[in-house]
Amino acid sequence: MSTLDRIKNVAAELLKTDSSRIQESSRFVEDLGADSMQSIELVAAFEEEFDIEMDEDAALGVKTVGDAVGFIDKVLAQG
Amino acid sequence: MNPVSYLALTPEAIKILKANGCWSRSWPKVKVTKGFDPTRIAGTIFRGEVRIGSLDGEFVPRDGIRRYAGIFDANLHNVTIGNNCHISNINGWLSNLIIEDNVLMENVGSIVCQGETSFGNGHAIEVLNEGGGRELKITEMTSAQTAYLSTMYRHDAALIKALDQIAENYAVSVRSDRATIGEGAKLFHCQNIVNVNIGQGAILRGIQNLKEGTIASSHEAPTFVGDGVIAKDFIIQKGAYVSDGALLSATLIGEASKIGKQFSAENSVMFCNSEGFHSEVCSIFGGPYTVTHHRSTLLIAGMFSFFNAGSGTNQSNHMYKLGPLHQGILERGSKTGSSSYLLWPARVGAFSAIMGKHYANFDSSDFPFSYINEDDGQSTLVPGMNFFTVGTMRDGLKWPTRDRRNNSDKLDQLIFEVLSPYTGQKMMRGQALLLDLYAGAEKGQEYVSHQGILIKRLLLKTCSRYYRMALEKYLGDALVARLTANPPKELKALTTPLDGAEDGDSSWLDISGLLCTQPRLNNLLDKIKTGDVTTLHTLQIELQKIHDSYALDEWSWVLQAIPQVYDFESITSDNLKTVLEKWKVSSNKLLNMVEMDASKEFEGNVRTGFGIDGHQDEDFDTVRGKFEANSFKKQLDEMRQAVQSNYDRSLNILKNI
């Protein structure tokens, strides 16, 4: 499964929405309705899903699903 | 007032007084000082022993109307009046009073002292628990720390007995059948005042009813008691402002506190710099900076400090079984959101934000800087998250700058630091607990429970990292401060505890605003119990010493915390460089996260309501300004620069050690 699909699944489960509603351009706050708490939970959920540790402030700066894909792929590439 | 010798009135003086409409059944009981000018008195009835000083000064109060020293239309009974007082339009009686020099009193009902009284000193109030069991004897010298010990250390019977005796001794020392109106006090348009001592420079304007109390005041910290105030069995400490229909019953208002707008308080203490408007408090222990501003807020049976109550904040102290015997503790720096509710008993960790309604009787004291939320009727905790909010940073910056106390003899001993050994040791404990909880949780589990509150399993690791980051920031802050304040020549000088400091592994306590080690406090408790400390004055001196030892003891704590937090075997120069490096990273992360939090005030939905007929962005930008130009944002930028320069400077110092 691609990073995008895994991110969509995680976000859909946490934000209690259908993953088909989530696009690469979807903004977590404005389009998917994530509040500040859910934003932090999303970071934690991505960390668990990908078994990575994300830099807190940089991760919270991620606005869209596409940004998240780029961010996580970069972390994964860094090993 | 200096000792004064008084003379009998001369026949000529009596003649002038009578011609001015004055009356006495026994003129020989009216005595005056040398040079007395009887033309300065008119329409006055003298009863009992009356002593009058010289009447040749004048006042120009704020209204700009000059008043001349004198007594006009007054009824005096057993009163000693100092020099240069202006007393006029006393509708009732001034009875059994010592009125010191330069007092201005105008349009007053009655000010009387009825029998012997201690003026509210020694009055026992049922603080924290309405049902009793924690009675605190309030005095004008009671500090937040003294009250904390009397209220919270009930398990130590010898200590409580000694503290009660100290308070009682103070009450006896001020006991009198004459109330004093202090030098330079001003009283305008007041109704009834019974058994109240009024301190120097106090201003009373339009009070309604005061009974059994003390208004402590000094020229450097004058106290104001104003319109419509009704107070009984009370102490108001120096520099306080109490006005606008405030109702006080069995209550102590601390130094430089502001109370008004029909605020009501019963069986409560609110120590220095507290604020109470509109709302109600009952049996609370309000430590320094307890703030409640909203009409629908009730604080009851709780302990607070550095606290801000959102509108509609409420608690219950009984569960309809054995009555109101429950209590709650909100550790320093906590705040409640609008319409939040807590069912006591509960204990909230320091610097936490409480939102929603909570019936869980939880204890989150191991987790400072937390968000406490309501999620489908359950209480949930997000440990450490409140460390990274604008609110916490702004609070930490504002409290020291908002210390309104002008008196040099401040009672409450305050350590303002947000990051301290007190919060540091809690974060170390919290971090370990979170990792333990994570290790013990199943992957499919949504929540784990700790001390009655739920924590999302997903957040356990994240939140433990928050504590780690905050600890790295704090330990680095302390290191930078130590290095830059007095650059050491060798590592040993840096890594050795300071002279007179406590052991670094001592537990830290928050004694209602005073952070100190357990051994230092125990030492004081021993002195109280063994009779080495027998007065409130000497107790103050001892508390001041503890306050002054904070920096010494803090460094000891930091020295023992660094190896624990970083898993160092010892503190070497290289290890300290690591501490510095981590500090720089964590400090910048904190600033970035706080900035992100602050920027939310300028983005998206917050613009709703702006631009009523269009032009939303223009309206918002005009009213709120651009984020880049915001003063807090600029402050954050300056802090970033300070991090870099302090890092460079500290690294240089370390390199030379």
Side-chain angles (χ1 to χ4, degrees):
Chain A
M1 204 187 293
S2 69
T3 305
L4 175 61
D5 288 335
R6 289 167 76 184
I7 285 174
K8 280 183 176 182
N9 287 343
V10 168
E13 191 183 338
L14 206 141
L15 300 174
K16 296 186 172 48
T17 187
D18 194 317
S19 64
S20 62
R21 261 197 64 214
I22 303 174
Q23 308 301 316
E24 201 163 348
S25 59
S26 300
R27 294 171 297 179
F28 288 108
V29 176
E30 291 86 349
D31 301 327
L32 304 178
D35 60 25
S36 54
M37 274 312 308
Q38 286 169 324
S39 299
I40 289 164
E41 287 173 30
L42 276 169
V43 173
F46 294 148
E47 286 185 340
E48 187 162 275
E49 171 68 23
F50 294 97
D51 196 20
I52 54 173
E53 198 164 293
M54 294 162 74
D55 187 66
E56 289 82 2
D57 56 333
L60 288 174
V62 168
K63 303 283 182 202
T64 68
V65 171
D67 289 346
V69 173
F71 188 92
I72 289 168
D73 279 344
K74 198 171 153 192
V75 174
L76 288 169
Q78 284 165 351
Chain B
M1 208 155 58
N2 296 324
V4 183
S5 40
Y6 292 98
L7 310 168
L9 287 168
T10 62
E12 181 62 18
I14 293 171
K15 193 175 161 188
I16 294 170
L17 288 170
K18 282 181 176 173
N20 283 352
C22 298
W23 183 85
S24 174
R25 187 184 291 274
S26 178
W27 287 108
K29 288 187 174 176
V30 180
K31 298 224 162 76
V32 295
T33 51
K34 194 178 173 187
F36 170 69
D37 178 0
T39 64
R40 296 275 192 138
I41 301 180
T44 295
I45 297 173
F46 301 93
R47 296 281 301 275
E49 305 283 340
V50 175
R51 304 283 180 269
I52 302 170
S54 64
L55 298 171
D56 50 14
E58 60 184 45
F59 300 83
V60 184
R62 275 192 182 175
D63 62 13
I65 303 169
R66 191 176 305 273
R67 271 78 151 182
Y68 295 96
I71 304 168
F72 311 100
D73 298 317
N75 306 311
L76 308 177
H77 170 251
N78 290 338
V79 179
T80 299
I81 298 171
N83 296 326
N84 300 322
C85 293
H86 171 95
I87 296 170
S88 64
N89 294 331
I90 309 300
N91 303 315
W93 284 87
L94 301 181
S95 173
N96 298 321
L97 301 180
I98 297 165
I99 300 171
E100 294 183 350
D101 298 346
N102 304 312
V103 167
L104 195 163
M105 198 185 294
E106 192 172 88
N107 192 24
V108 165
S110 286
I111 306 179
V112 301
C113 188
Q114 297 172 335
E116 278 210 343
T117 173
S118 291
F119 309 100
N121 289 285
H123 187 83
I125 68 173
E126 287 168 347
V127 70
L128 203 56
N129 197 319
E130 277 181 284
R134 294 190 189 277
E135 287 80 1
L136 166 68
K137 292 188 174 185
I138 54 174
T139 74
E140 62 190 293
M141 286 282 291
T142 301
S143 67
Q145 288 72 45
T146 312
Y148 178 95
L149 296 175
S150 284
T151 306
M152 304 309 285
Y153 279 52
R154 306 305 291 196
H155 58 278
D156 190 338
L159 175 72
I160 298 304
K161 188 178 171 194
L163 286 170
D164 278 352
Q165 192 58 55
I166 288 172
E168 193 54 42
N169 290 347
Y170 187 82
V172 168
S173 75
V174 296
R175 196 163 180 81
S176 175
D177 57 2
R178 296 281 179 114
T180 299
I181 299 176
E183 199 272 325
K186 295 182 175 66
L187 294 85
F188 304 95
H189 318 302
C190 296
Q191 293 188 26
N192 295 312
I193 300 176
V194 179
N195 294 358
V196 176
N197 264 346
I198 298 167
Q200 294 185 348
I203 300 175
L204 277 68
R205 191 188 64 208
I207 64 95
Q208 191 166 331
N209 245 306
L210 305 179
K211 191 169 184 186
E212 296 293 346
T214 293
I215 299 168
S217 180
S218 67
H219 290 295
E220 58 180 354
T223 301
F224 178 86
V225 184
D227 295 328
V229 171
I230 299 176
K232 185 171 183 293
D233 302 320
F234 67 94
I235 299 287
I236 298 174
Q237 293 179 333
K238 288 178 185 171
Y241 174 98
V242 181
S243 189
D244 301 337
L247 303 171
L248 308 178
S249 172
T251 285
L252 179 149
I253 300 298
E255 291 170 330
S257 291
K258 287 185 177 178
I259 302 294
K261 297 180 182 171
Q262 299 170 319
F263 176 78
S264 150
E266 185 175 340
N267 280 304
S268 294
V269 288
M270 292 180 77
F271 284 100
C272 71
N273 296 308
S274 288
E275 295 181 13
F277 298 118
H278 296 300
S279 47
E280 177 186 358
V281 300
C282 180
S283 286
I284 70 155
F285 189 110
Y289 293 85
T290 295
V291 174
T292 164
H293 277 188
H294 304 287
R295 185 167 301 286
S296 47
T297 292
L298 164 69
L299 303 180
I300 188 166
M303 170 172 274
F304 312 87
S305 63
F306 301 96
F307 166 73
N308 202 324
S311 66
T313 292
N314 194 2
Q315 313 88 56
S316 299
N317 61 334
H318 53 104
M319 296 197 283
Y320 301 99
K321 287 177 186 168
L322 294 175
L325 55 85
H326 303 292
Q327 64 178 48
I329 296 170
L330 268 65
E331 293 181 6
R332 66 160 52 197
S334 294
K335 55 176 70 179
T336 49
S338 299
S339 301
S340 68
Y341 168 81
L342 287 156
L343 177 66
W344 296 145
R347 181 168 181 169
V348 175
F351 298 99
S352 294
I354 300 133
M355 287 146 289
K357 303 199 182 305
H358 300 276
Y359 304 90
N361 305 133
F362 60 84
D363 179 350
S364 70
S365 55
D366 286 329
F367 301 111
F369 303 108
S370 294
Y371 269 19
I372 293 167
N373 296 313
E374 177 195 359
D375 192 356
D376 284 337
Q378 293 182 309
S379 296
T380 64
L381 185 80
V382 187
M385 190 178 170
N386 203 31
F387 184 68
F388 301 94
T389 59
V390 182
T392 301
M393 182 173 276
R394 288 187 66 220
D395 284 347
L397 295 170
K398 87 184 175 195
W399 284 315
T401 63
R402 292 188 184 175
D403 188 350
R404 294 184 292 259
R405 295 174 296 168
N406 292 325
N407 47 319
S408 45
D409 53 349
K410 295 175 181 66
L411 290 169
D412 300 345
Q413 305 298 314
L414 302 185
I415 301 292
F416 288 102
E417 267 63 13
V418 172
L419 288 174
S420 67
Y422 176 72
T423 47
Q425 69 184 13
K426 280 173 178 284
M427 288 194 289
M428 286 170 72
R429 201 159 51 232
Q431 188 189 10
L433 268 168
L434 290 170
L435 293 175
D436 282 351
L437 289 167
Y438 183 79
E442 300 288 335
K443 198 168 180 190
Q445 203 177 330
E446 188 176 6
Y447 288 105
V448 297
S449 177
H450 180 77
Q451 304 270 44
I453 196 159
L454 302 175
I455 309 171
K456 278 208 166 166
R457 183 196 62 82
L458 205 51
L459 292 179
L460 291 168
K461 276 172 80 179
T462 304
C463 295
S464 77
R465 285 212 306 272
Y466 287 169
Y467 283 147
R468 167 88 190 186
M469 217 192 303
L471 282 163
E472 285 174 356
K473 157 105 177 91
Y474 173 43
L475 296 175
D477 280 348
L479 175 62
V480 167
R482 179 92 176 84
L483 284 171
T484 54
N486 186 13
K489 298 258 183 321
E490 52 182 30
L491 187 64
K492 199 177 171 198
L494 185 66
T495 57
T496 306
L498 300 164
D499 285 346
E502 284 291 338
D503 287 343
D505 56 1
S506 303
S507 282
W508 279 75
L509 307 168
D510 179 6
I511 310 300
S512 196
L514 174 63
L515 303 179
C516 68
T517 64
Q518 180 90 61
R520 281 211 193 267
L521 183 71
N522 287 345
N523 183 37
L524 172 59
L525 303 189
D526 287 343
K527 284 183 180 175
I528 296 169
K529 286 186 279 190
T530 55
D532 286 348
V533 170
T534 54
T535 66
L536 285 168
H537 180 68
T538 49
L539 182 50
Q540 271 308 113
I541 291 169
E542 293 297 324
L543 287 163
Q544 175 81 50
K545 283 185 199 164
I546 293 178
H547 175 273
D548 295 346
S549 68
Y550 173 78
L552 298 180
D553 295 346
E554 183 196 33
W555 185 243
S556 296
W557 186 85
V558 168
L559 287 177
Q560 67 80 39
I562 285 174
Q564 284 188 60
V565 169
Y566 287 96
D567 206 15
F568 294 152
E569 281 186 9
S570 61
I571 299 181
T572 64
S573 183
D574 280 346
N575 286 343
L576 290 178
K577 283 174 194 158
T578 304
V579 173
L580 212 51
E581 195 62 46
K582 294 279 186 187
W583 168 75
K584 186 176 144 185
V585 171
S586 291
S587 297
N588 283 323
K589 272 188 187 178
L590 167 68
L591 293 171
N592 292 343
M593 290 168 81
V594 168
E595 183 169 319
M596 259 186 274
D597 190 44
S599 69
K600 288 177 197 156
E601 299 279 299
F602 291 80
E603 291 171 356
N605 289 345
V606 297
R607 296 184 177 230
T608 304
F610 284 84
I612 192 163
D613 295 319
H615 307 287
Q616 187 185 55
D617 287 344
E618 292 91 327
D619 185 40
F620 185 90
D621 290 346
T622 308
V623 175
R624 293 283 288 115
K626 298 254 190 206
F627 181 58
E628 291 306 315
N630 183 267
S631 61
F632 185 69
K633 153 77 175 145
K634 286 180 181 170
Q635 220 175 334
L636 292 175
D637 291 340
E638 285 164 14
M639 287 179 190
R640 277 192 195 93
Q641 288 170 12
V643 167
Q644 186 59 50
S645 62
N646 279 325
Y647 171 78
D648 293 340
R649 195 171 159 210
S650 303
L651 193 61
N652 246 345
I653 295 167
L654 270 182
K655 280 178 184 167
N656 291 325
I657 287 179

